[in-house]
Amino acid sequence: ILEDEKVGAQATELLQNARALLERIVDEGLLGATASIGIFPANSVGHDDIEIYTDEARSQILATFRHLRQQTRKTPGRPHRCLSDFIAPRETGVKDYIGAFTVTAGLGIDEVVKNFDKDQDIYQSIMIKALADRLAEALAERMHERIRREFWGYENQEKWSSQELLHEKYQGIRPAPGYPACPDHSLQADLFDLLAGPDLPVRLTESFAMVPAASVGGFYFSHPGSHYFGVGKIDRDQVKDYARRKKVDQKLAERWLSPQLGYQGNPGADEAQRLSTTP
């Protein structure tokens, strides 16, 4: 894009301005960054849940994360995935683990933005927010690398180039609440509780948004076959079961999952429509 005839000049100028502001962020310490991580004994239970235990005895449950399974029709031989598939079932006796994390690169950004706005420098105000977002993603990537190589150590000999890291050649994934494989934002609250939420420098709003905005939180899965996917549309039966497992009202679950709902209207009409389109 830097060499594009139409926008190359503007793109080059934008890159130069971003680099200059990044240098200023580093030199003046305009932003703070921090990460909180944990690795916990875990096993999957039932079909779609993951239990996290207080210790290796695995007799006391610390938390249970409820997940959703793909429900739309697939070609034969293609499984309907759920994140719980990547954790060993409890009945196998395999001692598996799951990781959790929150990272932020937006500490102190409110004051910086306030000063830019006071000077009516809207361009710099927008720029530092964009850079903080990118720095948060970079910190998430760096912490995931350290999880694989040091703290968990399941890929302690890995050596990937920057391009290979961008293409996620490494083993494991880090899905986040609100993303396609884990679309329920409310899991963010459970994640925060797991990581000793009150002590975290990041907080959640009532709608489960992270503050500062330049923050990322999610799970670490180490399974060699783990990969990203989208849950897609789900039907009323799974939403009802999800609400039961979460111990919440179905209407609340539907509000949390509204983008994923594959139905609307009254239950009888929905069932009639489903039957009429099922071979």
Side-chain angles (χ1 to χ4, degrees):
I1 192 173
L2 298 179
E3 299 174 359
D4 185 89
E5 291 183 4
K6 293 184 178 180
V7 299
Q10 292 93 331
T12 299
E13 182 181 5
L14 178 63
L15 178 62
Q16 291 172 344
N17 291 338
R19 284 176 170 167
L21 181 54
L22 184 59
E23 288 184 9
R24 184 178 171 189
I25 289 172
V26 174
D27 292 343
E28 300 180 23
L30 296 181
L31 299 177
T34 188
S36 303
I37 61 172
I39 303 168
F40 305 90
N43 284 110
S44 63
V45 292
H47 295 290
D48 305 330
D49 296 343
I50 298 173
E51 284 183 349
I52 297 176
Y53 307 107
T54 56
D55 53 40
E56 285 295 348
R58 298 173 186 251
S59 59
Q60 186 175 348
I61 299 172
L62 180 62
T64 303
F65 285 88
R66 321 290 182 178
H67 291 287
L68 294 162
R69 185 171 295 278
Q70 294 172 323
Q71 204 169 1
T72 53
R73 186 181 298 277
K74 290 191 172 189
T75 56
R78 295 185 61 196
H80 290 74
R81 286 295 183 200
C82 177
L83 286 175
S84 60
D85 294 345
F86 305 133
I87 299 291
R90 183 174 58 188
E91 61 266 24
T92 64
V94 174
K95 292 186 174 182
D96 210 345
Y97 301 85
I98 192 171
F101 72 95
T102 63
V103 302
T104 183
L107 301 179
I109 193 170
D110 289 343
E111 187 66 26
V112 177
V113 168
K114 186 188 300 182
N115 290 333
F116 281 141
D117 290 344
K118 187 187 302 181
D119 295 336
Q120 297 185 340
D121 195 339
I122 306 302
Y123 181 82
Q124 291 285 71
S125 179
I126 294 172
M127 179 77 75
I128 198 166
K129 292 176 185 176
L131 282 174
D133 287 343
R134 294 299 88 208
L135 290 169
E137 293 291 348
L139 180 56
E141 187 72 64
R142 171 59 174 154
M143 292 309 300
H144 196 183
E145 180 182 48
R146 295 194 67 188
I147 281 284
R148 298 190 304 272
R149 297 186 61 180
E150 301 173 44
F151 304 122
W152 199 334
Y154 63 85
E155 262 201 309
N156 56 10
Q157 300 299 316
E158 74 166 42
K159 291 182 180 180
W160 300 108
S161 67
S162 296
Q163 284 300 313
E164 287 171 325
L165 287 172
L166 286 173
H167 288 91
E168 298 168 348
K169 296 291 186 180
Y170 47 78
Q171 177 180 323
I173 56 174
R174 58 172 191 277
Y179 281 68
C182 186
D184 183 0
H185 286 272
S186 74
L187 266 66
Q188 196 73 265
D190 300 325
L191 180 71
F192 267 55
D193 288 343
L194 185 65
L195 292 170
D199 297 325
L200 296 176
V202 182
R203 64 178 179 85
L204 289 180
T205 67
E206 290 184 356
S207 59
F208 309 111
M210 300 179 73
V211 180
S215 305
V216 184
F219 304 97
Y220 295 125
F221 289 82
S222 66
H223 193 289
S226 61
H227 60 275
Y228 294 105
F229 61 89
V231 168
K233 296 296 183 181
I234 57 176
D235 290 331
R236 191 183 301 274
D237 58 339
Q238 185 171 188
V239 176
K240 182 178 180 180
D241 176 69
Y242 187 70
R244 178 188 60 79
R245 289 185 285 131
K246 291 269 289 183
K247 294 182 174 61
V248 299
D249 182 77
Q250 185 174 330
K251 293 295 184 184
L252 179 58
E254 288 175 333
R255 191 167 79 231
W256 289 341
L257 300 170
S258 57
Q260 272 62 52
L261 299 183
Y263 62 89
Q264 58 182 353
N266 68 73
D270 295 336
E271 180 66 7
Q273 174 66 20
R274 185 186 69 81
L275 291 174
S276 69
T277 57
T278 300

